[in-house]
Amino acid sequence: MIVYLVRRFGQSLLAIAAMAVLVFLGVYAIGNPVDILISPEATQADIIATTERLGLDKPLYEQFGIFIWNALHGDLGNSFVYGRPALDIILERLPATMELALVALVISVGFGVPLGVWAGLRPTSLAGRTIMGGSILGFSLPNFWQGMLLILVFAVLLGWLPAGGRGETTEFLGLEVSFLTLDGLSHLILPAINLALFKMSLIIRLARANTREVALQDYVKFARAKGLSTRRVVLVHILKNIMIPVVTIIGLELGSMVAFAIVTETVFAWPGMGKLLIDSINLLDRPLIVAYLMLTVLIIVMINLLVDVLYSMLDPRIRLSEMKG
Amino acid sequence: MTDQSVASELELVGNPATVRIDSPITRVAKEFVEDRIAIAGLILIVAIAFVAIAAPWIAPQDPYDLAQLSILDGGLPPGAESMTGQTYWLGTDQQGRDMLSGIMYGLRISLLVAAVSLGLAITIGVVVGVAAAYFGGKLDSFIMRIVDLQLSFPAILIALILLALLGRGVDKVILALVIVQWAYYARTVRSSAIVERRKDYIDAARCLALSHRRIMFRHLLPNCVPPLIVVATVQIAQAIALEATLSFLGVGVPITEPSLGLLIANGYDYLLSGRYWVSLFPGIALVLTIVAINVVGDRLRDVLNPRLST
């Protein structure tokens, strides 16, 4: 187990290092930041002075060393636009994004697993076919388009829910959250559904496929033959066995939800870090872009690591095959 | 193997002329057409592709020729008539641009981006994947490390990073999509090639001292095609959606070459003020395209994967 943990942890570090190199090369080596920072009328002396001040006259490997050193100390540079440390600005926006992602995850699992199992038990029934048809639609509708339809129907036509923003927030465990006030909840509902729909379709399909396979196994037939109620067979014998792949997907998808929140936050003007990224790209605020990328990479790699470790605890076969490989 | 199939095989060996076996393509086509929804999807794809290719000849108006636009026709609802008596079936946008023509031209760009990036990504993915499986060892583990690393990050994040660095442009969107997608094909091809590689016909080919290239692409690759087709249909739908999303976010195609995603983004501001048609109709075109491809892809997966067809 320890061998596996060390090995897996090493892989995660490698992934973060690789992304750091790519982000650094991408952001700092392509194009010249000085051109953006300095006015077009600047003299040659000004340009040289700025280049020196930013350390851009040093060789690339030295710049990279400085970048890594500062990054390890939690310093990813000051935002050009806000004039404050980029990481602080991102971290201020992090709770809003995490709240959105977690609520969306709860929705997608809460509806996805039961619907998928239902469709898997009766694959040819009308309900089963409808669920599958719906999941193709959930798959096919691009995220931003779903969001716009939700706004069009529930905000513009029906006027039930607000079209954007976060609404009233309250303090919860030291963080600002929306889901505890009625106003905040009404703002949260549409974006969360929007973010959940795609993952829900994914979970429905996964749960359905696994249910179909598991339902044919001998132990399910035996459980039925023993005279157990259908409810018990489904809830205990089938559900338990389909949860292993579902749990993995849930873990992995949490990371991708943070990324997909970029789209949802833009459509619903949700003040999270994804919207901040789009704003920063439009304003060419490089330190903020770098800070966002490094933080997101860190979050995703950590989640992947956590899922793998949990999974290997649940299923020893994985651990063994990894150790051999 | 049951007695019956042995018997039919013996018969086949003894008397090849009497038993006709369908080629794999005919078999797949025959099974495919059993599903009516899949046929509808296929017809829709063909129709959409035709509209996209023929747009300059069949569109009522060239939406980017300013001489043909009249600002007086701006913001007309669907079905309204223009000053010159022409009917705008899907309405017009703020500049008096016919939405129907705009959508036809937009489809053109959306499909062009998706098709070109698909071709390039498949080519790279296939070469890398087959090589990894065929040569194995260090090359294989090196390539798969990169693939795993890339696939552990969401596609949209990687594409967004690339475009944030490169700037807008049709060529840049294509480049970003290729970089995002090649890994899926590499992994798919490698996983089926690694199974095929252990089979006798590869050993036989090697005994004949055929070149590596010939074995890889003439012997190994053709046997890895079915899963590749399935992944390709899923991925082309993904590519269209991803391009639309990037353009919607303002980092995709430039304003001079609007794809469906950019048309939707342009109409987004008018959505709340009741001019729904400016972004609703391009959205419907986009969704129809993606749904049609996914429906066909779903059916192909069922047909090409015998394990699921029970």
Side-chain angles (χ1 to χ4, degrees):
Chain A
M1 187 67 199
I2 291 182
V3 177
Y4 174 74
L5 277 181
V6 170
R7 214 193 165 92
R8 189 61 194 74
F9 192 69
Q11 281 175 11
S12 301
L13 284 183
L14 204 71
I16 294 174
M19 287 308 274
V21 173
L22 289 179
V23 167
F24 173 79
L25 284 182
V27 177
Y28 282 78
I30 296 175
N32 186 359
V34 177
D35 295 343
I36 302 156
L37 285 173
I38 217 162
S39 73
E41 291 96 39
T43 62
Q44 193 60 33
D46 285 342
I47 294 176
I48 292 173
T50 314
T51 311
E52 262 176 33
R53 187 167 56 79
L54 294 173
L56 294 172
D57 53 341
K58 298 195 176 83
L60 202 60
Y61 63 86
E62 213 180 311
Q63 286 188 47
F64 183 62
I66 295 170
F67 168 72
I68 292 293
W69 183 252
N70 287 339
L72 287 176
H73 288 82
D75 175 15
L76 291 168
N78 277 351
S79 157
F80 296 162
V81 176
Y82 298 87
R84 291 194 292 135
L87 199 59
D88 291 358
I89 300 171
I90 302 271
L91 288 176
E92 283 164 17
R93 301 284 198 104
L94 185 64
T97 299
M98 290 317 272
E99 182 183 16
L100 185 62
L102 286 175
V103 172
L105 194 69
V106 170
I107 294 177
S108 57
V109 176
F111 288 92
V113 172
L115 286 174
V117 171
W118 183 278
L121 291 174
R122 300 175 185 74
T124 50
S125 71
L126 184 67
R129 283 169 162 269
T130 314
I131 291 171
M132 277 312 275
S135 86
I136 287 191
L137 217 59
F139 240 63
S140 302
L141 294 175
N143 223 296
F144 70 94
W145 176 245
Q146 287 173 2
M148 286 173 61
L149 286 185
L150 288 175
I151 289 180
L152 186 65
V153 173
F154 292 102
V156 179
L157 295 180
L158 297 173
W160 290 350
L161 295 165
R166 201 178 173 194
E168 193 187 327
T169 56
T170 45
E171 205 79 358
F172 176 70
L173 299 177
L175 296 170
E176 295 284 314
V177 294
S178 289
F179 72 96
L180 289 177
T181 64
L182 207 60
D183 182 52
L185 203 60
S186 72
H187 281 83
L188 181 60
I189 260 180
L190 285 186
I193 290 178
N194 178 223
L195 193 55
L197 273 177
F198 186 84
K199 305 299 168 199
M200 200 167 97
S201 312
L202 201 72
I203 291 177
I204 286 178
R205 296 168 80 93
L206 191 73
R208 174 182 179 270
N210 278 301
T211 306
R212 281 184 75 179
E213 249 170 53
V214 170
L216 298 175
Q217 301 282 325
D218 286 342
Y219 61 81
V220 174
K221 282 183 197 153
F222 183 68
R224 283 191 207 283
K226 245 185 357 183
L228 294 182
S229 67
T230 312
R231 212 173 92 156
R232 196 174 156 77
V233 173
V234 171
L235 288 185
V236 177
H237 296 254
I238 292 182
L239 199 61
K240 241 188 193 169
N241 281 288
I242 68 160
M243 279 321 270
I244 297 177
V246 170
V247 165
T248 329
I249 287 290
I250 290 170
L252 295 177
E253 291 302 320
L254 185 63
S256 97
M257 269 196 178
V258 174
F260 267 99
I262 297 169
V263 180
T264 300
E265 285 173 10
T266 307
V267 174
F268 288 92
W270 183 265
M273 53 184 208
K275 186 163 188 321
L276 185 66
L277 175 70
I278 296 296
D279 294 343
S280 305
I281 288 175
N282 289 331
L283 297 168
L284 288 172
D285 196 346
R286 289 188 173 195
L288 259 185
I289 300 176
V290 172
Y292 174 89
L293 293 180
M294 289 316 294
L295 191 67
T296 311
V297 164
L298 198 68
I299 292 175
I300 292 175
V301 168
M302 298 282 267
I303 291 173
N304 288 354
L305 177 67
L306 209 65
V307 170
D308 276 6
V309 170
L310 283 179
Y311 199 42
S312 74
M313 284 175 180
L314 291 176
D315 192 344
R317 281 172 299 181
I318 309 223
R319 200 156 72 222
L320 290 173
S321 74
E322 273 281 324
M323 274 201 279
K324 273 185 221 146
Chain B
M1 201 180 270
T2 62
D3 290 345
Q4 217 173 358
S5 66
V6 173
S8 70
E9 214 145 279
L10 286 176
E11 191 187 2
L12 183 72
V13 173
N15 197 353
T18 50
V19 184
R20 223 188 97 250
I21 290 187
D22 290 335
S23 76
I25 295 175
T26 326
R27 181 188 66 82
V28 167
K30 270 185 182 166
E31 271 186 50
F32 183 88
V33 296
E34 280 166 22
D35 190 64
R36 258 185 260 161
I37 299 175
I39 298 178
L42 195 61
I43 293 173
L44 194 57
I45 291 176
V46 172
I48 288 170
F50 172 76
V51 168
I53 293 167
W57 298 281
I58 59 172
Q61 157 193 103
D62 179 354
Y64 304 104
D65 178 7
L66 293 178
Q68 292 185 31
L69 302 183
S70 162
I71 197 79
L72 293 174
D73 287 344
L76 291 177
E81 279 200 13
S82 75
M83 319 280 283
T84 52
Q86 185 192 1
T87 310
Y88 294 124
W89 293 110
L90 299 183
T92 60
D93 69 3
Q94 287 324 97
Q95 283 77 41
R97 194 168 284 145
D98 176 33
M99 282 317 294
L100 180 63
S101 309
I103 290 171
M104 287 175 167
Y105 276 77
L107 262 178
R108 216 174 143 78
I109 293 166
S110 290
L111 293 190
L112 176 83
V113 168
V116 173
S117 65
L118 175 83
L120 291 174
I122 280 198
T123 312
I124 297 172
V126 159
V127 171
V128 170
V130 169
Y134 183 73
F135 293 112
K138 284 231 167 71
L139 181 76
D140 184 32
S141 50
F142 175 70
I143 290 175
M144 290 331 281
R145 272 284 145 78
I146 297 178
V147 167
D148 284 344
L149 179 64
Q150 196 188 321
L151 291 182
S152 66
F153 295 102
I156 187 164
L157 190 67
I158 296 176
L160 207 59
I161 296 172
L162 289 168
L163 288 170
L165 301 174
L166 299 172
R168 288 176 142 193
V170 171
D171 50 341
K172 286 159 189 156
V173 175
I174 291 175
L175 178 69
L177 289 181
V178 171
I179 292 176
V180 164
Q181 294 192 79
W182 74 274
Y184 292 94
Y185 299 112
R187 192 176 60 173
T188 309
V189 170
R190 181 214 177 236
S191 64
S192 46
I194 220 156
V195 176
E196 291 295 323
R197 194 193 125 66
R198 298 200 194 100
K199 294 193 176 164
D200 287 342
Y201 68 88
I202 298 295
D203 286 339
R206 291 173 71 138
C207 289
L208 286 173
L210 298 179
S211 70
H212 288 315
R213 212 170 77 185
R214 195 178 161 87
I215 300 177
M216 268 161 42
F217 296 110
R218 299 295 298 275
H219 296 253
L220 204 49
L221 182 57
N223 289 298
C224 307
V225 165
L228 197 58
I229 295 175
V230 175
V231 172
T233 51
V234 175
Q235 283 300 318
I236 195 165
Q238 294 275 340
I240 294 173
L242 190 55
E243 182 276 321
T245 305
L246 293 167
S247 297
F248 177 80
L249 292 174
V251 293
V253 297
I255 305 170
T256 46
E257 290 167 283
S259 65
L260 292 175
L262 197 57
L263 288 178
I264 296 170
N266 289 342
Y268 185 46
D269 300 334
Y270 306 113
L271 189 68
L272 297 180
S273 60
R275 287 201 183 124
Y276 62 90
W277 59 87
V278 186
S279 69
L280 186 68
F281 291 129
I284 291 175
L286 178 69
V287 168
L288 279 181
T289 312
I290 298 173
V291 171
I293 295 173
N294 278 345
V295 164
V296 169
D298 242 31
R299 182 65 190 157
L300 273 180
R301 195 193 54 210
D302 288 349
V303 172
L304 291 173
N305 188 349
R307 204 171 65 91
L308 282 175
S309 61
T310 46

